[in-house]
Amino acid sequence: MIRTGIFGGSFNPIHNGHINLAQHLLQEGEVDEIWLMVSPHNPLKETTSLWDENFRLQMAQIATADYENICASDFEFHLPRPNYTWKTLQELEKAHPNRSFSLIIGADNWLVFEKWANYKNILQNYPILIYPREGYPIQIQSLPTGVKFIEAPLFPWSSTQIREALDQQCDVSDMLHPQVIQLLKERNR
């Protein structure tokens, strides 16, 4: 079985922190490959600042093109909406029986995990890897079986901060893949 980590997100836009985290998880041997699951819409978030899903997918594909074990996926684009992670994981298992799936989430998401639809189903059926997020402390000793906190580097920016920097025409060259920056310029972002 290929151990596939599902790293879901809006990727609005995808940034170097996302890629560096994926590389770290691969180097630590937690998974064999990582699929960045571009979400059309997170049911727990507002959509007012959400860029077009195909544009976000295109940026993610550009940012992952040079990595053998990291790819961008549009799997959730083809599921009924609103889409929920538990359903994505079930559909992934049906579509890819030669893979075992784990879920990669940030500490911020772990702290609201009980708000996720069918979160108990996820806990019972899939390993969960939690990565640190600044300002979201995790009590490692209280994590349930199958949930693992990964000591990973913190990255000092978020997609929200990058969108704000782009609006202010600030330099984001250390945060984004050069071809993503070029695409953003072409789209007047």
Side-chain angles (χ1 to χ4, degrees), residues 49-84:
S49 63
L50 198 59
W51 294 342
D52 174 75
E53 63 195 50
N54 291 305
F55 179 53
R56 291 182 286 118
L57 175 65
Q58 185 180 8
M59 289 186 291
Q61 289 170 329
I62 288 169
T64 59
D66 296 333
Y67 300 95
E68 183 179 337
N69 296 329
I70 306 171
C71 70
S73 174
D74 67 350
F75 191 84
E76 286 189 344
F77 290 21
H78 311 287
L79 298 176
R81 298 180 192 187
N83 186 49
Y84 298 98

Side-chain angles (χ1 to χ4, degrees), residues 4-174:
T4 304
I6 299 301
F7 183 5
S10 300
F11 302 108
N12 190 41
I14 188 168
H15 57 69
N16 293 338
H18 295 126
I19 300 299
N20 292 339
L21 174 63
Q23 286 182 295
H24 178 80
L25 292 169
L26 289 165
Q27 289 167 356
E28 292 294 310
E30 297 295 339
V31 291
D32 300 318
E33 63 184 11
I34 293 179
W35 294 359
L36 300 180
M37 189 66 57
V38 180
S39 175
H41 169 233
N42 178 337
L44 295 177
K45 290 185 179 180
E46 291 185 29
T47 60
T48 53
S49 63
L50 198 59
W51 294 342
D52 174 75
E53 63 195 50
N54 291 305
F55 179 53
R56 291 182 286 118
L57 175 65
Q58 185 180 8
M59 289 186 291
Q61 289 170 329
I62 288 169
T64 59
D66 296 333
Y67 300 95
E68 183 179 337
N69 296 329
I70 306 171
C71 70
S73 174
D74 67 350
F75 191 84
E76 286 189 344
F77 290 21
H78 311 287
L79 298 176
R81 298 180 192 187
N83 186 49
Y84 298 98
T85 300
W86 69 273
K87 189 65 175 167
T88 297
L89 291 166
Q90 288 183 337
E91 294 300 320
L92 282 167
E93 276 189 321
K94 289 179 195 172
H96 303 281
N98 63 328
R99 288 179 162 78
S100 63
F101 293 97
S102 58
L103 180 63
I104 301 165
I105 64 173
D108 54 334
N109 278 310
W110 176 250
L111 294 178
V112 296
F113 195 68
E114 291 181 358
K115 292 182 179 182
W116 289 30
N118 285 343
Y119 75 94
K120 289 181 182 178
N121 175 286
I122 299 170
L123 280 171
Q124 291 169 355
N125 294 293
Y126 306 96
I128 300 175
L129 303 172
I130 302 172
Y131 60 89
R133 292 289 304 262
E134 191 167 342
Y136 299 94
I138 297 293
Q139 301 299 321
I140 298 170
Q141 63 278 7
S142 66
L143 294 176
T145 302
V147 179
K148 183 177 181 181
F149 183 78
I150 305 299
E151 293 290 346
L154 286 171
F155 299 98
W157 54 76
S158 68
S159 294
T160 302
Q161 292 169 321
I162 292 169
R163 288 192 309 277
E164 290 169 359
L166 288 166
D167 288 344
Q168 297 168 11
Q169 299 183 344
C170 296
D171 180 23
V172 293
S173 58
D174 60 337

